[in-house]
Amino acid sequence: MSETSRVASEDQAAFEDGSAASHEFTLTSWLSNAHVIAFGAGVGFFALSFLVLAILPGKELADEIKRVAPVAMPTLTASEQRGRVIYGREGCAYCHTEQIRSLAADVRRFGAPTEAWETKFDYPQLWGTRRIGPDLSREFNLHPRDWQLTHLYDPRLVVRDSVMPQYPWLFKGNANQPTQEGLDVLAYLESLGRARQLSGFDQQTLTSSVDAATPDMAMASEPSARATPPTVPIAMTGGYSDSAPVLHPASNPDDLQEEVSRGGSLFAANCVSCHGPAGKGDGKASASLLPRPANLTAARFSDERLSSVLWNGIVGSAMPPWRQLPTEDLRALVAYIDSLHVASAPPSTQESTSLAEGKALFAAACASCHGDTGAGNGPAAGALAPSPTNFHLKKPTAERAWEVLENGVPGTAMPPWKDQLNEDERQALVEFVRSLYGTPQEKLGQ
């Protein structure tokens, strides 16, 4: 081999040895820094996912809230803020949600789905994850204050099958004496759903939401006799009519007796805690409710009146709607309540002058609330809760009518009249209002 060839071979070998060493060094260096590279990639992917899944959607949500939320949306007061803290402290969010989903069952039971703007000031949110108790998103104006306090003090006084614990430490011995913490919790509960109701949001979006509803939502917007009323006023939901089907009990004596028996069982299961075992308005919860539960033995109610109360409840009182019960159960309750009224002795023949005097007194003292014809539709009736009595549909006993005229009805707009009217005038009014039951309205003006 020539010298030149030998040198070339040595150079080639040296070059190949250097390349292998260099390659081995580069691979070893990369492997030794792999954890750094993986960490950097992980941080990068995390930052990217945080941007894509949190920051951008959060910004879009904030823009949507700013666009849709009412300009004058009320913030929580100091008492409501304290109540919110106590609500969380007592574990209320473990059983109650504050978020109505778009599922048909949710909408039927609780009303329109929760919008993002409704919890604009609610951080951290108390949406909850388990719904052992009912959703509280629409609690504003749903129950009166006395019901809320009674429910906090002993839930089974107003909801017989409730599994909710009692909170006696929020009271000073009874439901009528809440502590400041009890008042704060009450204030917070009464704030839930306030912004939505006061904004008129449901009224504004009703037509468009029905037109653009998904199949699930479209199904949810249909009325259902088995549905618990939404937790917003009926007129704002579009889902329910505030008129009630008239539930006439059976006319056949045997069928009627069966309905009365079944209605008695339903009454014992659902109504005794307020109305008492005999329906006299003296149940365990009655002491802390105002107005007091009705004495169902002290008046005769028309089927229309009972059907309306069972279907819609009585606004301004602790009486809730019961249309989540099957129609046949409501009919049985109508039959049972009707059986509680003991017919009084036939009234003596009334002198026309006595009824005429009662009519004149009614026009002067009662028509502004009860209406010219006694149908409970006077000029002031729209602003009153509970609404004034419609005497065409309810006939109080003479004793009950006399008691009301003497003492009024605490918790309602009905004042006592014993200082304004003498005994003869009150007696004339008693006879007149009792004469209105079942009388067609058009005949009263004659």
Side-chain angles (χ1 to χ4, degrees):
M1 176 184 294
S2 65
E3 184 65 21
T4 303
S5 299
R6 185 180 62 80
V7 172
S9 297
E10 291 176 354
D11 290 343
Q12 178 66 28
F15 175 78
E16 289 176 354
D17 291 344
S19 296
S22 176
H23 177 71
E24 182 179 354
F25 175 79
T26 302
L27 180 61
T28 302
S29 299
W30 186 89
L31 289 174
S32 65
N33 292 288
H35 64 285
V36 177
I37 297 172
F39 177 78
V43 170
F45 280 116
F46 175 79
L48 179 63
S49 63
F50 189 77
L51 175 67
V52 173
L53 299 178
I55 296 178
L56 294 180
K59 185 178 184 305
E60 291 180 6
L61 185 61
D63 292 341
E64 176 69 10
I65 290 174
K66 184 176 181 180
R67 184 180 66 83
V68 177
V71 176
M73 183 174 172
T75 58
L76 295 181
T77 65
S79 177
E80 292 164 357
Q81 288 280 16
R82 293 194 300 269
R84 185 174 182 275
V85 173
I86 298 167
Y87 178 96
R89 182 194 75 193
E90 300 297 346
C92 303
Y94 295 146
C95 297
H96 293 283
T97 60
E98 294 179 14
Q99 182 185 31
I100 303 173
R101 300 165 296 180
S102 298
L103 301 176
D106 268 31
V107 175
R108 282 199 182 97
R109 187 175 182 191
F110 302 116
T114 300
E115 300 285 336
W117 63 265
E118 294 183 66
T119 53
K120 176 180 179 180
F121 302 119
D122 194 18
Y123 293 101
Q125 291 91 350
L126 294 174
W127 289 336
T129 55
R130 303 182 69 200
R131 193 169 288 158
I132 298 171
D135 185 88
L136 301 180
S137 300
R138 305 283 187 272
E139 202 63 20
F140 178 69
N141 274 349
L142 179 63
H143 295 105
R145 293 170 62 89
D146 55 349
W147 186 97
Q148 294 280 19
L149 291 172
T150 302
H151 185 248
L152 283 170
Y153 182 73
D154 185 351
R156 276 151 295 286
L157 291 178
V158 288
V159 183
R160 179 178 179 268
D161 296 327
S162 175
V163 296
M164 175 175 159
Q166 302 176 24
Y167 292 93
W169 52 88
L170 299 179
F171 298 85
K172 301 174 183 176
N174 62 64
N176 290 324
Q177 293 183 300
T179 64
Q180 183 59 52
E181 285 197 341
L183 292 173
D184 291 340
V185 173
L186 173 64
Y188 175 65
L189 291 173
E190 290 184 328
S191 74
L192 298 174
R194 175 179 58 198
R196 180 161 184 146
Q197 186 171 327
L198 296 181
S199 71
F201 181 84
D202 293 278
Q203 194 84 17
Q204 298 166 10
T205 61
L206 177 60
T207 302
S208 60
S209 65
V210 171
D211 292 341
T214 64
D216 199 25
M217 282 293 295
M219 179 174 63
S221 66
E222 297 173 1
S224 170
R226 298 295 303 277
T228 301
T231 55
V232 292
I234 291 171
M236 296 177 66
T237 66
Y240 302 93
S241 169
D242 54 7
S243 62
V246 180
L247 305 167
H248 296 292
S251 55
N252 181 284
D254 292 336
D255 293 340
L256 177 60
Q257 185 59 39
E258 183 180 344
E259 279 191 341
V260 170
S261 177
R262 189 156 58 89
S265 299
L266 290 164
F267 188 88
N270 298 292
C271 313
V272 164
S273 60
C274 291
H275 292 284
K280 294 184 178 181
D282 56 356
K284 292 181 179 180
S286 63
S288 56
L289 299 178
L290 199 67
R292 299 284 294 273
N295 181 348
L296 301 174
T297 68
R300 180 181 178 187
F301 301 91
S302 68
D303 294 345
E304 182 181 355
R305 172 60 179 167
L306 290 176
S307 300
S308 176
V309 170
L310 289 170
W311 191 259
N312 296 315
I314 299 179
V315 177
S317 79
M319 177 65 190
W322 286 97
R323 58 172 170 256
Q324 75 272 21
L325 295 178
T327 303
E328 56 270 23
D329 285 354
L330 296 179
R331 183 176 289 107
L333 278 171
V334 170
Y336 176 74
I337 295 170
D338 188 59
S339 73
L340 296 177
H341 174 69
V342 179
S344 55
S348 58
T349 304
Q350 301 295 331
E351 297 289 340
S352 60
T353 53
S354 176
L355 288 178
E357 180 186 3
K359 183 177 181 179
L361 287 167
F362 188 89
C366 313
S368 60
C369 294
H370 292 280
D372 293 333
T373 64
N377 57 354
L384 302 178
S387 299
T389 299
N390 181 343
F391 291 109
H392 303 282
L393 306 180
K394 178 180 177 180
K395 182 180 183 179
T397 61
E399 295 78 12
R400 174 58 179 166
W402 183 266
E403 177 189 351
V404 169
L405 283 172
E406 280 213 323
N407 303 317
V409 181
T412 75
M414 179 66 191
W417 286 93
K418 61 183 178 183
D419 294 331
Q420 292 90 339
L421 302 174
N422 60 42
E423 290 191 8
D424 291 337
E425 291 172 329
R426 285 183 304 216
Q427 185 60 44
L429 265 179
V430 167
E431 294 167 357
F432 176 72
V433 298
R434 283 171 48 79
S435 74
L436 298 179
Y437 181 79
T439 306
Q441 295 186 40
E442 58 271 14
K443 291 186 177 180
L444 296 177
Q446 299 177 359

